Amino acid sequence: MNRTNLSLSLFALAFSLGLAACVAEDEALDVADDADFSVAPELADEDDDVAPADRPEDDAFILDAAPGDTIEIAEGIAAVVPAPGDGVVMEVLYEDGAMYLADLETDAEGVVRLRLPELGFSDGGTSHACASKCSDTTYKLLAHKWNKRVDWYYRDSGRPSSVSKTGTIDALKYAAATSTTSRNSCGMTDQVSATHSYKGTTGTSPNIGVSNGVVVCSTNDGKNVVGWATGFPSTTLGVACTWRSGGTAVETDQKYNNKKSWFGGNSVPSGCSNRFSLRAVASHEWGHSYGLDHTGCAQTMAPSTAACKAGGRLFGKGDVLGLRALY
């Protein structure tokens, strides 16, 4: 087995284990990049298993790559390798409810590491049984948090007809505030210091592109933008990328597939069929932006989503406890 196939197999295995039995409760670069990219660099010699030296104690894979390289870290998912000391977390949401999360970083010495779902994010051995939304206290954290207010913009270009401009902005503001105000289903008070501010519309596109059917987290520009994708693969629902320097988040961008049908309100529309809640999906993505990893089965940060469900717009107990641990 060559290294590329091995890395993809491990990714699929980790993803499958992370999603087993987890079903949610109730819930610019608009055109393809022309940049070339390579498949994820090798992780072991041909015909060899992954050697212990290739797997440091934090379960990250060491890649033969350099800052500025664009590498495919799984089928249809790629990212630009960040500068030394920096990292990027990328999540891809699929129409069937599946989610892929990967973390790519370059340390101060220039060593590039890739962390995949359920690898490298220790939860201290906490059980991930499907407890109810307001009794599940588990949470997991990513490698970043914000040390300032998150100022963000909305790019309206490509918006689908299923949602209005005003409805979209209201939904995205609601979703960001779910993290900053601890909006939840469990009667928990807000003890989170994180803040955000919507700064209006922009012509700048999120730094998320598509090249030959591969979704790419590009290089960050320091501007937080949420917008619509016109060229995503048909199975892709949305993508979010958050860049960090050290442990400090420096940019977060989101893009949603404008070929899908969305609704922007709190309630599921009557007769809903294959429409997705922008508030619920974006609340999950903003949770990642503020530093929450996947956890639980009934939490907003559970690694699954579904059409015609809106319950994810409100956090569960574990989600809120995770934010309190960070902020």
Side-chain angles (χ1 to χ4, degrees):
M1 178 182 290
N2 64 36
R3 297 181 180 182
T4 296
N5 291 335
L6 178 59
S7 67
L8 298 183
S9 297
L10 286 169
F11 186 96
L13 175 61
F15 173 71
S16 298
L17 291 173
L19 280 187
C22 283
V23 179
E25 193 171 68
D26 169 28
E27 311 237 333
L29 295 173
D30 287 321
V31 184
D33 249 3
D34 290 329
D36 292 330
F37 58 86
S38 60
V39 175
E42 298 179 340
L43 296 170
D45 290 336
E46 188 173 355
D47 300 324
D48 284 347
D49 292 329
V50 177
D54 294 323
R55 294 287 302 280
E57 62 277 3
D58 66 355
D59 280 331
F61 297 107
I62 297 177
L63 304 184
D64 182 15
D69 290 348
T70 301
I71 61 170
E72 188 172 3
I73 56 181
E75 184 175 358
I77 304 171
V80 176
V81 177
D86 295 348
V88 58
V89 170
M90 179 181 192
E91 179 176 65
V92 179
L93 294 79
Y94 294 95
E95 187 178 30
D96 65 1
M99 300 179 181
Y100 281 180
L101 183 71
D103 182 292
L104 184 67
E105 73 172 6
T106 307
D107 69 17
E109 287 71 42
V111 177
V112 180
R113 290 182 170 87
L114 173 66
R115 296 178 178 86
L116 301 175
E118 303 302 318
L119 298 178
F121 295 103
S122 175
D123 62 354
T126 304
S127 172
H128 282 207
C130 290
S132 67
K133 192 166 189 174
C134 294
S135 64
D136 187 352
T137 61
T138 61
Y139 61 84
K140 294 171 67 180
L141 305 178
L142 296 171
H144 66 264
K145 62 177 290 186
W146 294 86
N147 62 7
K148 62 180 181 180
R149 183 184 68 193
V150 180
D151 293 336
W152 61 278
Y153 299 81
Y154 167 62
R155 187 171 192 261
D156 194 52
S157 177
R159 174 177 45 81
S161 60
S162 55
V163 285
S164 67
K165 179 178 179 179
T166 299
T168 297
I169 293 172
D170 286 346
L172 296 174
K173 290 166 66 176
Y174 179 103
T178 296
S179 286
T180 59
T181 65
S182 303
R183 185 183 287 115
N184 65 90
S185 300
C186 309
M188 301 173 71
T189 60
D190 181 21
Q191 300 176 23
V192 174
S193 61
T195 57
H196 82 99
S197 179
Y198 170 62
K199 294 299 183 181
T201 58
T202 181
T204 302
S205 179
N207 289 309
I208 302 169
V210 180
S211 179
N212 298 320
V214 177
V215 180
V216 184
C217 271
S218 305
T219 304
N220 62 303
D221 61 6
K223 188 172 185 177
N224 309 305
V225 181
V226 183
W228 299 98
T230 60
F232 273 179
S234 61
T235 56
T236 301
L237 186 63
V239 176
C241 304
T242 301
W243 294 263
R244 67 178 181 272
S245 180
T248 301
V250 295
E251 180 181 341
T252 186
D253 288 354
Q254 301 170 22
K255 247 184 182 180
Y256 298 99
N257 194 338
N258 74 343
K259 300 299 191 296
K260 305 302 177 184
S261 184
W262 300 85
F263 62 93
N266 287 338
S267 302
V268 178
S270 176
C272 182
S273 176
N274 204 35
R275 294 183 67 183
F276 292 87
S277 168
L278 188 56
R279 294 191 180 208
V281 173
S283 290
H284 178 99
E285 293 313 319
W286 276 109
H288 285 316
S289 296
Y290 278 99
L292 296 178
D293 195 357
H294 288 150
T295 189
C297 290
Q299 304 291 299
T300 294
M301 299 312 297
S304 61
T305 190
C308 300
K309 299 289 185 181
R313 65 187 174 82
L314 299 173
F315 278 156
K317 189 170 185 178
D319 299 322
V320 175
L321 293 177
L323 286 171
R324 288 181 181 179
L326 284 168
Y327 304 96

